[in-house]
Amino acid sequence: MCGLVGYIGKNLSRAPIIKGLSRLEYRGYDSAGFACLNPGDNRLVYVKAQGQLHNLIKQFDQKPIDGHIGIGHTRWSTHGVASQENAHPQFDCYKTLSIAHNGIIENHHMLKEQLMQEGHLFSSQTDTEIVAHLLESLLQIHKKLLPALISLVNQLQGAYALVIILQAYPDQMVVIRKGSPLCIGIGQQEMFVSSDLLAFADITNKVLFLPDQSFALLGKELLELYDFSGAPLLPSIQEVDSAWINVDKNGYEHFMLKEIYEQKGAIYASLAFFRSISHQIWDQVGLTSEQVKNLESIHFLGCGTSWHAARIAQFFFEKICLMPARVMLASEFRYMPFFAEKNSAYIAISQSGETADTLEALRLVNSMHIANIALTNVASSTAVREADGFLLTHAGQEIAVASTKAFATQLAALYWFAHRIALEKGIINLYQFETAQEDILIAAEALENSIEKYKKIIVETYAPYYAQYKKFIFLGRHISYPFAMEAALKLKEISYLFAQCYPAGELKHGPIALIDAETPIFLFSSLDSLVYQKLLSNAQEVKARKGHLVVFAFEGQKELIQLADACFIIPTVNPLLAPLAMTGLMQFFVYHIAKVLDCPIDKPRNLAKSVTVE
Ligand code: G6P
């Protein structure tokens, strides 16, 4: 949450910082700011703007500030509305030091009161400003930077990443990490700081992921790392593979559309990778073959779209591995009673590997010494570093806030992994495992072909027509229920239209009262013959009340197709992969509804791609 970029080095900082921020806008985009030390007199100068980054860039025409040490920020508000005053960087009383921050200072109330009593004057409602004033105060007490920083980090509670520049220390940038991600890119006589290496991945691949609860002093050729007690730490610099990072739209109008079209390729790439590691899979995920054979249950943790992928995967694991699978929302998990089970494993699913709720849930499992695996798309993420083992999807960088190809590859990965476990346990044989892999590719084909088949009619007819409605009901049953939840989430996220999802069997227990001419009902079919019959009855219940029915059906489902007011017919696939086959068309349809409504599709209001606060 929030994009954070810092630069210190031989070059001027504004250009790399703005470029970095533009790549991080997915992390928040309600206001932005830049501060640097003026070359020559080292005076702290800054520019801030409400709204997206381009508003900040416009301001440089009037105030073309730049310097060799600078920090920048794009914000996703937690404390205080989106305004120029609340935009980062924030300052101390005399604007001699400047701070950009990602995370939440939990004890900010108490600290603010104390600082106000000391006479500090605040000009924003942010928790970040408290850090600036506290550091100002501590520098007066300790006179030197290092002891002031040690005292600072020991007073701040919460999860935070901070980047600080000070007039009094023009050759040093301070970076601090507790909980929130922060990395340092090491260049030639220059250092980059960011909440995501995407910001500088094209300039250097030498990266230090700041250890949790540590801080660093950076200069153009200086890197000193300390723990929170002030003891020096040895930096462990890694070389990261940034070849897969592609931040261009490649001619598409939005990243979301580009990413929808990249799904088949992403599934193929992920499967090719899984095939290549199939023999060493247990080392990679941090389990022994013995542990896998003895596995009696599996648990999933995730948020948003990743939680929906987990809800779908529950069906995979129960059907294929013949063991109970449980799914918890990561944000709820920590506050529920924890019943440790023998022979169990947890899979934390997160596209980014940085979602705070998911990481905290993962840490809880880890602290109980229960086997845990991170399923993520980002090899350099915190989830990968902290989990016992990991499984990587190969979706490539996903930029649009609404997840598309990450979701599709999560489904493919989980389907593959369920079969790999079943193979190890002797539940299926090698031939069945090979067939399952082929089935994933068949579903990827269906995903792409159905977009092509309905592209024209969606763009010309369906999207303009359905964009006129204000509210929708989404229905699914069995494995198509969590998929319907994902479809409703996608519509809400990018079009701001109200979409309520129900399990189709529940319709008659209340929601049926909502059926009217103003509320189209989207129904997602199933390839399980029994479930299909039940869904058919639910569709009839809708039509009997003159409801307007939009159906995502499969080839051969004649009765359902006949009931529909609008219908998409998708090629048949393995029944468990029905959601994957429907994925592309569903996303393409809601994308075009949002486009008709002229919504900012890649950066919907109030959202951020990576939510690193709880
Ligand atoms: C945010 C995004 C959602 C995403 C969720 C989980 O809320 O807006 O689109 O599904 O985070 O993200 P993760 O990276 O953990 O999968």
Side-chain angles (χ1 to χ4, degrees):
M1 191 78 65
C2 300
L4 241 177
V5 184
Y7 175 91
I8 181 164
K10 60 181 181 195
N11 294 316
L12 290 172
S13 62
R14 193 173 88 196
I17 287 178
I18 296 301
K19 188 169 91 180
L21 287 180
S22 69
R23 293 177 170 189
L24 300 190
E25 260 203 299
Y26 72 87
R27 298 178 78 95
Y29 34 79
D30 60 34
S31 48
F34 169 75
C36 64
L37 297 184
N38 206 31
D41 61 5
N42 291 330
R43 206 166 29 89
L44 184 61
V45 284
Y46 69 94
V47 174
K48 301 203 278 186
Q50 195 185 331
Q52 294 191 13
L53 190 60
H54 54 83
N55 292 352
L56 177 75
I57 295 169
K58 263 192 251 150
Q59 298 216 20
F60 292 126
D61 295 343
Q62 266 82 53
K63 213 176 162 186
I65 55 169
D66 211 343
H68 294 278
I69 171 168
I71 56 179
H73 191 263
T74 54
R75 181 166 182 250
W76 185 86
S77 328
T78 55
H79 293 74
V81 295
S83 66
Q84 201 169 6
E85 298 73 52
N86 289 337
H88 298 203
Q90 290 289 325
F91 309 96
D92 60 332
C93 293
Y94 299 101
K95 294 204 167 63
T96 63
L97 66 90
S98 176
I99 294 189
H101 166 217
N102 184 8
I104 295 179
I105 306 299
E106 284 169 359
N107 56 339
H108 68 104
H109 280 302
M110 189 268 285
L111 290 172
K112 189 168 183 175
E113 241 166 66
Q114 180 189 311
L115 288 161
M116 281 169 71
Q117 275 167 19
E118 286 175 23
H120 288 263
L121 295 173
F122 286 82
S123 49
S124 79
Q125 288 96 49
T126 62
D127 51 341
T128 308
E129 195 185 355
I130 282 111
V131 186
H133 290 275
L134 183 58
L135 183 57
E136 176 184 27
S137 173
L138 291 169
L139 280 167
Q140 276 160 14
I141 300 167
H142 295 280
K143 310 288 182 228
K144 284 191 172 151
L145 187 56
L146 206 58
L149 290 172
I150 296 165
S151 175
L152 178 80
V153 295
N154 284 293
Q155 292 190 49
L156 299 179
Q157 288 167 14
Y160 47 83
L162 296 160
V163 186
I164 309 171
I165 55 174
L166 309 96
Q167 277 186 182
Y169 298 88
D171 300 324
Q172 288 180 38
M173 173 178 285
V174 179
V175 297
I176 307 176
R177 175 185 179 209
K178 185 180 174 212
S180 298
L182 199 61
C183 53
I184 299 168
I186 295 126
Q188 299 283 336
Q189 295 188 357
E190 55 186 357
M191 299 278 182
F192 305 85
V193 179
S194 179
S195 38
D196 184 335
L197 67 89
L198 180 62
F200 53 74
D202 55 334
I203 308 175
T204 178
N205 66 346
K206 286 201 178 59
V207 180
L208 168 68
F209 293 99
L210 220 62
D212 198 25
Q213 308 212 24
S214 73
F215 66 91
L217 297 179
L218 303 181
K220 69 178 177 185
E221 286 178 305
L222 170 87
L223 199 177
E224 286 175 9
L225 185 64
Y226 300 92
D227 70 14
F228 276 8
S229 71
L233 297 172
L234 206 60
S236 142
I237 295 162
Q238 304 176 21
E239 292 207 356
V240 296
D241 174 14
S242 47
W244 61 284
I245 295 179
N246 175 0
V247 288
D248 291 325
K249 285 194 203 135
N250 291 355
Y252 287 95
E253 192 173 344
H254 293 101
F255 279 111
M256 184 175 174
L257 189 61
K258 171 180 170 252
E259 288 161 4
I260 288 172
Y261 275 113
E262 283 173 345
Q263 295 188 100
K264 182 176 147 189
I267 294 169
Y268 272 61
S270 298
L271 189 64
F273 170 70
F274 301 147
R275 280 182 151 141
S276 74
I277 56 155
S278 188
H279 291 300
Q280 313 99 281
I281 181 72
W282 309 124
D283 284 348
Q284 177 119 165
V285 299
L287 296 171
T288 62
S289 165
E290 216 41 43
Q291 265 178 304
V292 177
K293 287 178 182 139
N294 292 332
L295 264 185
E296 287 169 27
S297 65
I298 198 112
H299 298 256
F300 295 100
L301 302 164
C303 301
T305 292
S306 293
W307 178 67
H308 293 149
R311 293 284 305 261
I312 293 169
Q314 181 176 19
F315 291 87
F316 300 166
F317 282 76
E318 295 195 335
K319 187 89 197 264
I320 300 160
C321 304
L322 309 177
M323 62 182 168
R326 299 284 167 265
V327 184
M328 286 293 292
L329 275 168
S331 55
E332 294 289 318
F333 177 71
R334 287 179 77 196
Y335 310 103
M336 306 286 277
F338 189 98
F339 301 106
E341 284 173 23
K342 230 171 67 199
N343 300 331
S344 183
Y346 279 75
I347 303 182
I349 306 177
S350 172
Q351 183 285 129
S352 59
E354 301 294 352
T355 301
D357 288 320
T358 310
L359 287 179
E360 287 303 332
L362 179 67
R363 285 170 187 145
L364 179 63
V365 175
N366 232 328
S367 71
M368 304 279 185
H369 307 290
I370 298 170
N372 58 80
I373 302 162
L375 173 63
T376 174
N377 194 35
V378 183
S380 55
S381 63
T382 308
V384 167
R385 289 196 298 278
E386 295 196 7
D388 289 347
F390 58 90
L391 187 59
L392 288 177
T393 48
H394 278 52
Q397 182 76 27
E398 193 181 65
I399 305 266
V401 166
S403 183
T404 53
K405 60 178 179 169
F407 173 70
T409 53
Q410 284 167 350
L411 294 186
L414 290 159
Y415 188 77
W416 182 85
F417 195 46
H419 281 89
R420 187 63 188 83
I421 291 177
L423 180 67
E424 199 71 11
K425 279 172 156 296
I427 298 170
I428 61 166
N429 59 31
L430 204 54
Y431 173 74
Q432 289 166 307
F433 181 59
E434 293 294 340
T435 308
Q437 300 189 116
E438 288 310 310
D439 285 346
I440 295 174
L441 300 180
I442 294 169
E445 286 286 339
L447 177 158
E448 189 164 286
N449 293 346
S450 28
I451 300 178
E452 281 317 300
K453 181 171 166 194
Y454 290 103
K455 190 172 169 179
K456 194 165 180 305
I457 193 164
I458 285 179
V459 173
E460 291 174 2
T461 313
Y462 289 151
Y465 178 74
Y466 289 101
Q468 299 173 79
Y469 289 92
K470 298 278 171 278
K471 52 190 167 79
F472 297 81
I473 294 174
F474 280 48
L475 299 176
R477 218 172 159 137
H478 192 252
I479 201 167
S480 79
Y481 169 50
F483 181 74
M485 288 200 281
E486 169 60 11
L489 177 70
K490 213 87 301 174
L491 183 68
K492 283 182 271 206
E493 282 180 317
I494 62 170
S495 72
Y496 317 144
L497 294 170
F498 186 85
Q500 178 76 47
C501 182
Y502 289 104
E506 271 296 295
L507 189 67
K508 57 190 176 295
H509 297 299
I512 202 160
L514 295 172
I515 295 178
D516 63 18
E518 272 80 56
T519 317
I521 294 170
F522 281 39
L523 185 140
F524 297 91
S525 188
S526 162
L527 278 161
D528 178 297
S529 51
L530 188 59
V531 177
Y532 169 68
Q533 287 306 324
K534 302 289 167 198
L535 267 169
L536 200 54
S537 310
N538 302 137
Q540 268 146 357
E541 288 157 14
V542 171
K543 287 315 296 173
R545 285 154 188 86
K546 301 200 168 42
H548 181 99
L549 199 59
V550 180
V551 167
F552 284 67
F554 290 92
E555 281 168 356
Q557 298 186 328
K558 268 198 241 116
E559 308 90 328
L560 186 61
I561 293 165
Q562 272 159 17
L563 284 176
D565 296 281
C567 188
F568 302 108
I569 305 166
I570 293 152
T572 53
V573 293
N574 181 295
L576 287 174
L577 290 170
L580 186 58
M582 289 189 280
T583 292
L585 192 63
M586 173 278 280
Q587 296 161 342
F588 187 84
F589 189 18
V590 301
Y591 165 85
H592 278 284
I593 292 178
K595 192 168 167 234
V596 170
L597 295 171
D598 205 18
C599 294
I601 293 177
D602 285 337
K603 294 175 198 156
R605 72 180 178 211
N606 303 338
L607 300 186
K609 183 144 192 76
S610 176
V611 182
T612 55
V613 291
E614 278 186 74

